[in-house]
């Protein structure tokens, strides 16, 4: 196997025996084959001129399954690959060779062998072209995750799906592309992703209301309990509806924390609080949770035996041997497991955190923010966020936030915030110094805040007293970076390490054109930013 799509990839170069995420060689090969099969479907869709949202959403879902920490079940990928080929054949477009003519083997062993022949190692002999192709593919995986989240709530755009087809078909569509053309596709991916995140923002806020500042308890109360992890608001809503009146309290984990700020979710009395921190700590935290655990979308790790029977998956998430809740979204097995577990027997007050500072909330006090800047009360804004992970070096983000001066404001989003989300940084004129914008999905909100502030100050975003200090782990973070670059945002600090799939020459392009730089130390970076 070979996989280098995440930040924690082995030795900083690539996993070649087993993934650090827990992915085995068979699943790695099946995921590579899923991508190859999707390229054939994309070629057929483009040739047919298919504009159906159903096929576009299906394609996005299938590419999403190959994102880090989503699905680890070989049998699922066998099913996915056969479905992809069936959809391609239904378009009745014929190719003589390549992914458009791909025929899947009948057995999983045969599919694995086919997948190994289409490893990312075989992308191109030219290191820089291969790097650009990987940057595009990983960006599209993140794009498809956001497109799927939005489509689940009815928000779709054929232009997003058309680009997904175009990006998947690139390299097999007969068009010759040089390095500049491949990098152009990468930036186009970022541009299209802004639209996908806009759709997702409209889906979430249109369905559940705009987030409001909300205090979320970090402790627990007596009662049966279900813990919800992942990113999917609709799954949480359906679970809340199905558990009404059953004496079960619902807790969030990881990137589900911002859900407490949505009016249509927070109205449920049994939606209590937040348990634990980021995804990579589940092996330490889940044994202590005395109820059922539901995974929506990505972020699952190999469940330990001590709590494995309590874990359920839904949507695209899969792990061998776990009970999966299918498309009907009947969470009865989860509820029954929660009722059979002891639940919490005491009350624990572990403080609280404040979330819900989406663009509506921040812009509602924009006049105070602007006055604060003009009066010198607010010297600088930092956006410190992104993915969290277990690899050494991430304490940088905690130290950085703790060392930000009292006349600065920190905006944060995604699970990277769990390095410092419970820090009490105080406020500036009633405005909290630490503002939780939401999930990684809510990068759109952060971008809109920056654009609005630039408009208010009649300047370019790059001229704002704003610095982006980002951490990354998987492919959603990759596509958000591409989105920021497509908007022309410069001088982003990125860590804890730079992507292994970015070649020295590609990195040089990013440095020269966009000023991307690796993080150093909090002290050095703060001095460089603030002078």
């Amino acid at each position: 196997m070979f996989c280098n799509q995440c930040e924690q990839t082995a030795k900083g170069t690539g996993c070649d025996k087993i993934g650090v995420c827990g992915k085995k060689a068979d699943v790695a090969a099946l995921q590579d084959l899923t991508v190859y099969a999707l390229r054939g479907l994309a070629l057929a869709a483009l040739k047919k001129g298919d504009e159906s949202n159903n096929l576009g959403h299906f394609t996005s879902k299938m590419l999403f399954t190959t994102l880090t920490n989503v699905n680890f079940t070989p049998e699922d990928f066998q099913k996915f690959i056969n479905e992809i080929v069936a959809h391609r054949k239904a378009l009745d477009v014929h190719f003589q060779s390549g992914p458009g003519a791909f025929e899947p083997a009948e057995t999983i062993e045969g599919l694995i062998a086919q997948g190994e022949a289409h490893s990312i190692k075989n992308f191109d002999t030219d290191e820089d072209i291969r790097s650009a192709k990987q940057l595009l593919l990983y960006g599209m995986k993140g794009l498809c995750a956001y497109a799927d989240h939005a489509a689940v709530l009815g928000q779709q755009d054929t232009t997003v799906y058309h680009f997904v087809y175009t990006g998947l078909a690139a390299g097999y569509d007969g068009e010759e592309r040089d390095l500049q053309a491949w990098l152009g596709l990468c930036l186009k991916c970022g541009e299209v992703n802004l639209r996908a995140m806009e759709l997702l923002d409209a889906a979430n806020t249109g369905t559940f209301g705009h987030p409001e500042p909300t205090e979320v308890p970090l402790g627990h109360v007596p009662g049966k309990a279900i813990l919800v992890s992942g990113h999917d608001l609709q799954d949480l809503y359906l679970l809340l509806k199905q558990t009404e009146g059953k004496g079960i309290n619902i807790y969030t984990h990881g990137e589900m924390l911002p859900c407490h700020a949505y009016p249509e979710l927070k109205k449920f009395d049994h939606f209590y609080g937040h348990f634990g921190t980021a995804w990579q700590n589940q092996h330490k935290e889940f044994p202590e949770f005395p109820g059922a655990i539901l995974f929506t979308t990505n972020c699952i790790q190999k469940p330990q035996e001590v709590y494995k029977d309590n874990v359920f998956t839904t949507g695209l998430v899969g792990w061998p041997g776990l009970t999966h809740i299918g498309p009907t979204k009947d969470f009865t097995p989860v509820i029954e497991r929660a009722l059979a577990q002891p639940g919490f027997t005491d009350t624990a007050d572990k403080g609280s955190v404040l979330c819900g500072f989406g663009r509506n909330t921040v812009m509602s006090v924009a006049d105070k923010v602007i006055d604060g800047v003009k009066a010198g009360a607010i010297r600088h804004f930092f956006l410190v966020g992104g993915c969290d992970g277990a690899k050494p070096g991430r304490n940088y983000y905690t130290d950085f936030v703790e060392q930000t001066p009292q006349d600065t404001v920190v905006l944060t989003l995604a699970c990277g915030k769990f390095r410092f989300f419970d820090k009490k940084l105080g406020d500036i004129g009633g405005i909290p110094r630490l503002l939780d914008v939401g999930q990684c999905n809510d990068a759109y909100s952060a971008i809109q805040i920056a654009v609005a502030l630039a408009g208010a100050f009649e300047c370019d975003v790059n001229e704002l007293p704003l610095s982006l200090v980002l951490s990354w782990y998987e492919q959603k973070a990759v596509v958000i970076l591409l989105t920021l670059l497509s908007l022309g945002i410069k001088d982003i600090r990125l860590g804890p390490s730079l992507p292994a799939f970015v070649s020295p020459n590609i990195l040089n392009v990013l440095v020269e054109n966009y000023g991307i730089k690796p993080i150093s130390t909090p002290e050095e970076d703060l001095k460089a930013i603030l002078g």
Side-chain angles (χ1 to χ4, degrees), residues 154-223:
Q155 289 285 341
Q156 302 185 75
D157 186 338
T158 55
T159 61
V160 173
Y161 297 143
H162 184 79
F163 175 78
V164 172
Y165 297 148
T166 301
L168 283 168
Y172 298 90
D173 55 2
E175 183 176 335
E176 292 292 331
R177 292 178 175 85
D178 59 12
L179 183 58
Q180 185 175 359
W182 281 107
L183 290 176
L185 274 177
C186 291
L187 291 178
K188 184 64 176 179
C189 182
E191 178 187 326
V192 173
N193 184 61
L194 183 64
R195 174 58 179 152
M197 290 195 299
E198 180 184 26
L199 291 169
L200 178 55
D201 180 84
N204 285 340
T205 60
T207 306
F208 303 110
H210 282 276
E212 305 165 342
T214 304
E215 286 280 352
V216 183
L218 298 177
H220 58 257
V221 291

Side-chain angles (χ1 to χ4, degrees), residues 21-67:
C21 63
K23 178 169 61 178
K24 295 181 180 179
D26 57 351
V27 171
L30 291 169
Q31 289 185 354
D32 286 342
L33 190 61
T34 299
V35 172
Y36 186 72
L38 284 170
R39 294 189 190 281
L41 176 58
L43 287 165
L46 289 172
K47 191 170 183 179
K48 186 79 171 183
D50 188 278
E51 295 287 338
S52 71
N53 279 336
N54 286 341
L55 186 63
H57 184 202
F58 170 78
T59 303
S60 296
K61 286 197 301 181
M62 292 299 96
L63 193 55
F64 186 9
T65 63
T66 68
L67 189 143

Side-chain angles (χ1 to χ4, degrees), residues 152-153 208 226-244 249-253 255-262 264-266 268 270-273 294-297 314 329 331 439:
V152 166
L153 292 173
F208 303 110
I226 296 175
L227 185 64
V228 185
S229 192
H231 300 76
D232 197 281
L233 275 64
Q234 177 71 354
D235 285 338
L236 174 62
Y237 175 77
L238 294 173
L239 180 66
L240 287 166
K241 289 285 290 183
Q242 293 178 36
T243 50
E244 281 187 295
N249 292 314
I250 307 299
Y251 297 80
T252 54
H253 172 265
E255 290 228 48
M256 296 301 283
L257 168 63
C259 297
H260 290 275
Y262 286 88
E264 291 302 308
L265 297 176
K266 62 192 291 186
F268 289 93
H270 62 301
F271 188 27
Y272 179 70
L294 175 66
F295 271 97
T296 71
T297 68
T314 192
K329 299 297 181 181
F331 292 113
Q439 296 182 336

Side-chain angles (χ1 to χ4, degrees), residues 221-522:
V221 291
K224 306 293 184 177
I226 296 175
L227 185 64
V228 185
S229 192
H231 300 76
D232 197 281
L233 275 64
Q234 177 71 354
D235 285 338
L236 174 62
Y237 175 77
L238 294 173
L239 180 66
L240 287 166
K241 289 285 290 183
Q242 293 178 36
T243 50
E244 281 187 295
K246 297 186 182 295
I248 301 173
N249 292 314
I250 307 299
Y251 297 80
T252 54
H253 172 265
E255 290 228 48
M256 296 301 283
L257 168 63
C259 297
H260 290 275
Y262 286 88
E264 291 302 308
L265 297 176
K266 62 192 291 186
K267 71 180 183 181
F268 289 93
D269 292 337
H270 62 301
F271 188 27
Y272 179 70
H274 188 78
F275 178 91
T277 51
W279 66 272
Q280 79 277 1
N281 296 322
Q282 57 195 260
H283 284 170
K284 290 189 299 182
E285 296 169 350
F286 285 4
E288 300 174 1
F289 190 79
I293 301 166
L294 175 66
F295 271 97
T296 71
T297 68
N298 52 314
C299 293
I300 193 170
Q301 286 185 299
K302 179 181 180 179
Q304 294 181 332
E305 289 299 322
V306 67
Y307 64 82
K308 183 177 181 179
D309 291 342
N310 294 337
V311 179
F312 298 80
T313 60
T314 192
L316 300 177
V317 186
W319 191 279
L322 297 185
T323 299
H324 186 77
I325 307 300
T328 62
K329 299 297 181 181
D330 180 357
F331 292 113
T332 299
V334 185
I335 294 168
E336 290 177 345
R337 185 65 184 177
L339 292 173
Q341 294 300 294
F344 289 108
T345 57
D346 63 342
T347 299
D349 183 357
K350 298 183 180 180
S352 63
V353 293
L354 191 60
C355 68
F357 289 94
R359 70 181 192 284
N360 266 30
T361 296
V362 174
M363 297 321 299
S364 71
V365 294
D367 55 339
K368 293 182 180 179
V369 173
I370 293 166
D371 289 344
V373 173
K374 290 180 177 179
I378 300 176
R379 178 171 33 148
H380 205 84
F381 297 89
F382 297 99
L383 175 59
V384 185
C387 306
D388 203 1
K391 192 173 180 179
R394 292 182 182 268
N395 285 341
Y396 164 94
Y397 297 94
T398 309
D399 298 339
F400 185 95
V401 168
E402 288 179 338
Q403 293 179 38
T404 54
Q406 290 298 308
D407 58 356
T408 62
V409 173
V410 177
L411 297 128
T412 189
L413 74 166
C415 62
K417 65 172 164 269
F418 289 109
R419 294 280 165 172
F420 49 81
F421 78 128
D422 55 353
K423 303 295 180 185
K424 306 303 180 185
L425 301 185
D427 66 89
I428 301 174
I431 299 171
R433 285 194 56 234
L434 182 60
L435 301 175
D436 184 352
V437 179
Q439 296 182 336
C440 63
N441 308 353
D442 296 305
Y444 176 79
S445 226
I447 290 170
Q448 294 307 308
I449 291 170
V451 170
L453 287 174
F457 286 107
E458 299 181 346
C459 68
D460 183 82
V461 170
N462 289 309
E463 297 172 327
L464 285 171
L466 169 68
S467 298
L468 278 63
V469 184
L470 306 179
S471 56
W472 81 283
Y473 172 68
E474 43 91 322
Q475 297 79 62
K476 288 182 182 178
V478 172
V479 80
I480 289 172
L481 177 63
L482 292 178
T483 296
L484 295 172
L485 298 183
S486 75
L487 292 168
I489 295 176
K490 298 183 177 181
D491 299 324
I492 298 169
R493 283 174 166 76
L494 185 64
S497 61
L498 296 177
F501 54 82
V502 171
S503 69
N505 285 336
I506 298 293
L507 178 59
N508 189 52
V509 170
L510 298 178
V511 171
E512 287 188 354
N513 292 337
Y514 301 100
I516 284 184
K517 50 184 68 69
I519 58 172
S520 57
T521 67

Side-chain angles (χ1 to χ4, degrees), residues 1-2 25-39 74 77-85 88-89 98-123 172:
M1 72 171 285
F2 183 80
D26 57 351
V27 171
L30 291 169
Q31 289 185 354
D32 286 342
L33 190 61
T34 299
V35 172
Y36 186 72
L38 284 170
R39 294 189 190 281
F77 284 102
Q78 181 182 34
K79 174 186 173 186
F80 297 155
I81 291 164
N82 285 322
E83 286 179 352
I84 292 166
V85 173
R88 189 198 78 213
K89 290 183 175 180
F102 165 66
E103 289 289 344
E106 295 184 359
T107 65
I108 288 181
E109 291 74 20
L111 292 172
I112 292 169
Q114 289 178 319
E116 290 171 346
H118 297 291
S119 166
I120 58 169
K121 290 189 295 184
N122 303 329
F123 262 20
Y172 298 90

